[in-house]
Amino acid sequence: MDIQRMGVVGCGLMGAGIAQCAAEAGCQVWVKEADEALLAKGLARIQSAWDRAVAKGKATAEQQAGWTGNLHGTLDFAALANCELVVEAVPERLDLKLQTFTGLDRVLGPKAILCTNTSSLSVAQLS
């Protein structure tokens, strides 16, 4: 399966890193956060990493512009509706992760692939 459109729910350290790598790989990436402040902080983290890469000569300004064009922020689950793959990267709280999957279940198609970034919660319990 060739993933063209990807979603990441949560733009903290892990979510931002996942979104950054996917955007650099050429995916259209939609990052969903709970509020504007968290979304702005996460997107700024990614842009800062790209700024550093350009400053160090590891990437060109043209590459950065392309990556930036691949990255989209949202506060609404509906923006993820056409994603083929969505990675949940919210804080390690069962209630929050279950809310996230409930929100995704309402908007994603039946062929969408859902992933979790949990490190301590039971994946069976999340499912």
Side-chain angles (χ1 to χ4, degrees), residues 2-106:
D2 184 25
I3 304 295
Q4 297 296 315
R5 186 175 166 109
M6 179 178 167
V8 179
V9 182
C11 200
L13 288 174
M14 290 299 290
I18 293 165
Q20 177 183 340
C21 288
E24 290 174 9
C27 286
Q28 290 296 310
V29 181
W30 290 90
V31 178
K32 191 231 179 263
E33 246 315 344
D35 63 47
E36 280 290 342
L38 291 172
L39 182 60
K41 182 177 180 182
L43 294 176
R45 177 182 288 121
I46 296 168
Q47 288 296 333
S48 177
W50 289 337
D51 289 342
R52 286 190 306 276
V54 170
K56 292 180 179 181
K58 295 182 178 185
T60 66
E62 292 78 19
Q63 285 175 303
Q64 181 180 15
W67 299 335
T68 298
N70 291 342
L71 187 64
H72 315 278
T74 186
L75 301 177
D76 189 359
F77 280 112
L80 306 177
N82 294 322
C83 290
E84 297 132 338
L85 170 69
V86 178
V87 178
E88 166 277 311
V90 300
E92 288 290 287
R93 287 187 15 225
L94 181 61
D95 63 323
L96 185 56
K97 289 185 182 285
L98 291 176
Q99 283 178 317
T100 298
F101 283 116
T102 298
L104 290 169
D105 189 50
R106 290 184 182 130

